[in-house]
Amino acid sequence: MTATTPTGGTTSTATRGGTPALVVVAHGSRDPRALRTVRALLDRVRALRPALPVHLGHIELNEPLLPDTLTALGSGAAVVVPLLLSRGHHVKRDIPQMADAAPARTRVAAPLGPHPLLADALHARLTEAGWPAHGGPDHAVVLASAGSRDPESRADSARTAALLATRLGVPVLPAYASASAPTVPEAIRTLTSRGHRRVAVASCFTAPGRFAAQCAVQAPWIASAPLGTHPAMARLLLHRYDRAREGGDEDSAPKGSGERRDRPRTARSRTSAEPRGRVGPPTVTPSAYCS
């Protein structure tokens, strides 16, 4: 089956009973580097799985918008994977509502974080920025994210910080560019007051943009680049696609966005490698949250 894309071309899509298409949902940005980065990341996904139809949709600011991408699929099947790093309003409300309104038969997957593959990408970007092979007692990290008023988003950030702390062997403190506390400068002051003289900022952003740049310039030492096209990000998108397609129990998947007609319920799965348990204190030490 082929469908007309929002830009006027044609593209393959899944047929009834065939392989569901992967629809990656980016937030959208006024920074032109963001769209270029997301498109390059999707090219990595296609290289890993050439037979899989891969499409892009945005929540806002860039085209194609998600409703247009889903409409172009007609009645085909699709797995919608948010290119977002935690739960929040977009993951729990906006994306499921757009999927429910589309003619396509959709499942909505969990956001990319928290997950060990996300920690892999964060660690690699820090290493590229100059993080040592073995951090010492004066080292610490601020995990900089966009921020959200949703407590589940903050819980996901804390779990990602826990995974990264375990990898690095140093404390990792989540911080936010907006809508939540602490801010990056506040987190840096907290860590320096505890004797950490080498405080790095880990950029927990999918692509370049205003928030990523804002957090990077606040770093007192090194700041990592956004996650971008790191190979772990491509593998993580496919992992979320596979788990949602299987109908597993994804720990961070949006709730209450069941499929219309013959759509199965929104997938919720958990990988065996993901951390379990309650959200702990704001500063994450290497021993915290390990399962």
Side-chain angles (χ1 to χ4, degrees), residues 8 19 126 138 142 158 202:
T19 300
L126 278 171
D138 59 342
V142 172

Side-chain angles (χ1 to χ4, degrees), residues 114 119 131 136-137 139-144 153-176 182 187 190-191 194 196 275-276 278-291:
W131 184 264
H139 289 81
V141 172
V142 172
L143 180 68
S153 176
R154 295 191 294 275
D156 287 346
S157 295
R159 292 174 64 192
T160 297
L163 288 168
L164 186 59
T166 300
R167 301 293 176 89
L168 300 177
V170 303
V172 177
L173 180 61
Y176 307 96
T190 296
L191 290 169
R194 296 173 184 175
H196 301 289
R276 300 172 182 260
R278 66 178 180 85
V279 175
T283 303
V284 183
T285 59
S287 61
Y289 310 19
C290 298
S291 59

Side-chain angles (χ1 to χ4, degrees), residues 66-67 70 80 89-103 106 108 254-258 260 263 266:
L66 177 58
L70 293 176
V80 178
H89 185 80
H90 290 317
V91 169
K92 294 162 66 175
R93 298 288 184 270
D94 293 339
I95 294 174
Q97 288 174 2
M98 293 177 192
D100 285 343
T106 59
V108 178
K255 300 176 183 179
S257 56
R260 297 192 322 239
R263 299 179 187 176
T266 297

Side-chain angles (χ1 to χ4, degrees), residues 182-224:
T183 64
V184 170
E186 288 169 346
I188 291 168
R189 287 195 294 270
T190 296
L191 290 169
T192 55
S193 72
R194 296 173 184 175
H196 301 289
R197 296 182 296 107
R198 294 281 192 173
V199 178
V201 172
S203 183
C204 197
F205 299 96
T206 57
R210 179 169 62 92
F211 284 160
Q214 169 188 314
C215 294
V217 299
Q218 294 167 340
W221 178 37
I222 59 174
S224 63

